Amino acid sequence: INDINYLSADYGLDNWYDPFAWYMYKYAMNLDAIPSLAFNVANIIKSVYGKNKKALALDLDRTLWGGIVGDDGVEGLQIGHETSQGQIYEEFQQYLKKIRGTGVLLNIISKNEEENARAGLSHPGMVLKESDFISVKANWEPKSQNLINMAQELNLGADSFVFVDDNPAEREIVRQQIAGVGIPELDKAEKYIRAIDKAGYFEMTSFSDDDARRNEMYRANAVRAKLLSGCSDYTAYLKSLEMSAEIRPFQHVYMDRIAQLTNKSNQFNLTTLRCTRDEIAGMSQDDRYITLYGKLADKFGDNGVVTVVIGKKECLIADSESEGEGETLDIILWLMSCRVLKRDMEKAMLDALVKKARGAGVRTLTGHYYPTAKNGMVREFYGSQGFERVNEDAEGNSVWRLVVDGYKNRNHVIRVLD
């Protein structure tokens, strides 16, 4: 929804409307107000195409609370409705809590002793508790390095973050060191909410159950990572997760989530085909397509719909290397959420895809990789799954082929529900 009524009120009604511009050009607003409208429309388009930020990296001292916990002590912090300054930070935290409820991940990067940081988070006036944050990095390392490490730990691109810090020097260092990070300019504490909200980092055009549970999912991932650190046998680790998967053709109840994934997944996305909900629904009803979604759960929680495959059946003309005529399945889309990387879900999906293809008379699978700035991690994905490289051009676009006959299941750690 492009709320022009709100925009005009925010801009100021007397300044928004220009009778001369209306009568001369039929402009609904003053020429100077057009950038405000255009920026709002751009944020909506950004959201539709999955370009929203996903996480906040928040400073503590003079950002989440008034004062410096290392100098003033926990009892000296300004947070809560007892003082005007404390109320400012309380309301800022209430705003962040609401953002968290839409699926944005909250994290902390603070130059502090960890003990002091955690003591501050336990202040009785805090709206946000330590459990609201996925990652807490309180140390004396450069904040830019902490942000890079945090992104790697969460399997997110660093450009998925918004860095919120009251110190302009820290903001400038991060701006110079890490491209693409959202960095709002913070002035007075009472303007923090406006600075972040007006920037449109988290413009929402859809909301799914997975969005509502995203913080819970990433917190469970942190527990899994801790378990892995104490395990020397990776296969044994995967089996210990007690994973189960639901892999089925597209279902109506998941159409919104599937469409959302096609527009948000960038790293594990072999062709980066973007689809609307109507296009997804259309392919699910078209006999020319084989569609599969995958849900993954384990003993720590349900990750929801995390992977999508779409294949289009094409006629395969007989040639000297094949006997008779058959069909090939052209895999036009294969993507997976990075939060389930390295858990063999891709193997389970390939097993299901081959089974489905065999039932449809398909003899070969054809996969495509189109390189982007973010999907280099899957450049050799098809090769790792037993596909043969057919060709590759100078730009790195490659075509891969897998013969269905003789294929043996590759997944041995995930129980696939019937």
Side-chain angles (χ1 to χ4, degrees):
I1 297 174
N2 183 23
D3 192 346
I4 297 176
N5 189 51
Y6 168 79
L7 288 176
S8 61
D10 181 65
Y11 194 87
L13 288 173
D14 285 342
N15 296 322
W16 180 266
Y17 180 63
D18 181 358
F20 178 79
W22 171 251
Y23 290 117
M24 283 294 293
Y25 318 113
K26 295 301 181 286
Y27 286 173
M29 66 215 67
N30 189 318
L31 188 64
D32 294 336
I34 290 178
S36 178
L37 176 69
F39 181 70
N40 201 60
V41 173
N43 279 330
I44 294 172
I45 296 171
K46 167 180 64 65
S47 176
V48 168
Y49 281 92
K51 303 296 185 182
N52 276 352
K53 301 298 185 184
K54 299 178 180 178
L56 280 159
L58 299 149
D59 179 37
L60 290 176
D61 296 329
R62 295 181 179 146
T63 301
L64 279 190
W65 56 56
I68 300 174
V69 66
D71 294 338
D72 304 324
V74 176
E75 66 280 357
L77 297 181
Q78 293 285 319
I79 177 70
H81 54 268
E82 288 81 8
T83 67
S84 58
Q85 191 72 4
Q87 186 177 355
I88 291 171
Y89 290 101
E90 180 184 49
E91 291 190 0
F92 181 46
Q93 290 193 25
Q94 289 171 345
Y95 168 76
L96 295 172
K97 188 91 169 181
K98 289 180 180 178
I99 289 181
R100 181 184 182 277
T102 67
V104 176
L105 309 177
L106 302 187
N107 306 276
I108 288 172
I109 296 179
S110 173
K111 285 188 174 177
N112 250 311
E113 296 295 336
E114 185 173 346
E115 182 181 357
N116 289 337
R118 296 189 185 279
L121 291 172
S122 66
H123 189 287
M126 289 284 290
V127 175
L128 294 170
K129 307 301 181 185
E130 188 171 343
S131 59
D132 289 315
F133 299 94
I134 304 299
S135 176
V136 176
K137 293 192 177 297
N139 53 46
W140 301 100
E141 298 297 319
K143 292 190 175 183
S144 55
Q145 188 59 51
N146 274 328
L147 183 52
I148 291 171
N149 294 341
M150 181 179 289
Q152 292 173 344
E153 291 168 8
L154 297 179
N155 278 325
L156 293 173
D159 59 357
S160 297
F161 283 80
V162 175
F163 178 69
V164 179
D165 196 304
D166 70 295
N167 189 329
E170 297 287 3
R171 297 198 299 267
E172 184 59 27
I173 291 171
V174 171
R175 185 178 290 110
Q176 291 183 9
Q177 295 294 320
I178 311 175
V181 177
I183 307 178
E185 288 302 316
L186 303 184
D187 183 11
K188 298 178 180 178
E190 57 266 30
K191 296 182 179 180
Y192 286 178
I193 295 175
R194 185 174 178 83
I196 296 172
D197 204 61
K198 291 284 286 183
Y201 299 120
F202 310 110
E203 181 76 32
M204 198 164 57
T205 51
S206 64
F207 185 72
S208 66
D209 289 341
D210 281 357
D211 292 325
R213 296 187 294 113
R214 183 168 289 113
N215 275 270
E216 172 190 333
M217 294 173 183
Y218 274 87
R219 183 167 296 283
N221 266 357
V223 178
R224 295 183 188 101
K226 186 176 181 180
L227 176 64
L228 174 60
S229 66
C231 189
S232 57
D233 185 331
Y234 192 72
T235 299
Y237 158 72
L238 289 178
K239 289 181 178 179
S240 74
L241 293 178
E242 300 172 12
M243 293 182 287
S244 62
E246 175 186 308
I247 302 176
R248 295 179 179 173
F250 291 174
Q251 304 290 317
H252 177 77
V253 67
Y254 297 127
M255 291 300 183
D256 286 335
R257 171 59 178 165
I258 292 168
Q260 185 186 58
L261 272 174
T262 68
N263 288 292
K264 292 178 68 173
S265 300
N266 295 303
Q267 295 184 79
F268 192 119
N269 193 331
L270 288 137
T271 59
T272 61
L273 176 70
R274 308 301 188 186
C275 302
T276 66
R277 187 189 188 285
D278 288 344
E279 288 169 337
I280 292 291
M283 285 185 279
S284 72
Q285 300 296 318
D286 192 328
D287 290 340
R288 294 175 299 169
Y289 293 90
I290 291 178
T291 64
L292 292 173
Y293 72 86
K295 294 182 67 179
L296 183 65
D298 60 27
K299 65 183 182 181
F300 296 111
D302 186 351
N303 292 281
V305 177
V306 292
T307 183
V308 173
V309 174
I310 300 175
K312 185 177 182 181
K313 289 181 280 186
E314 303 285 355
C315 180
L316 179 66
I317 304 300
D319 57 33
S320 59
E321 297 181 2
S322 60
E323 298 180 3
E325 294 187 7
E327 285 190 331
T328 183
L329 186 72
D330 203 33
I331 303 172
I332 63 174
L333 177 67
W334 192 333
L335 60 84
M336 188 167 71
S337 170
C338 288
R339 67 171 179 259
V340 295
L341 283 178
K342 299 182 180 179
R343 292 197 223 158
D344 283 8
M345 186 61 180
E346 66 278 10
K347 295 180 181 179
M349 287 294 285
L350 182 56
D351 291 351
L353 182 62
V354 169
K355 181 179 179 180
K356 194 79 173 174
R358 279 176 177 154
V362 170
R363 300 182 59 192
T364 61
L365 304 184
T366 301
H368 304 269
Y369 168 71
Y370 304 141
T372 69
K374 291 189 175 184
N375 73 353
M377 64 180 294
V378 291
R379 179 181 297 277
E380 300 296 326
F381 168 74
Y382 280 120
S384 70
Q385 301 305 311
F387 284 67
E388 173 192 5
R389 192 194 314 264
V390 177
N391 61 60
E392 182 173 347
D393 64 21
E395 285 72 39
N397 300 290
S398 55
V399 181
W400 304 76
R401 181 174 60 188
L402 178 72
V403 178
V404 169
D405 289 342
Y407 175 86
K408 295 182 179 179
N409 284 351
R410 303 175 64 84
N411 163 50
H412 304 293
V413 297
I414 300 173
R415 180 171 61 96
V416 179
L417 306 177
D418 187 357

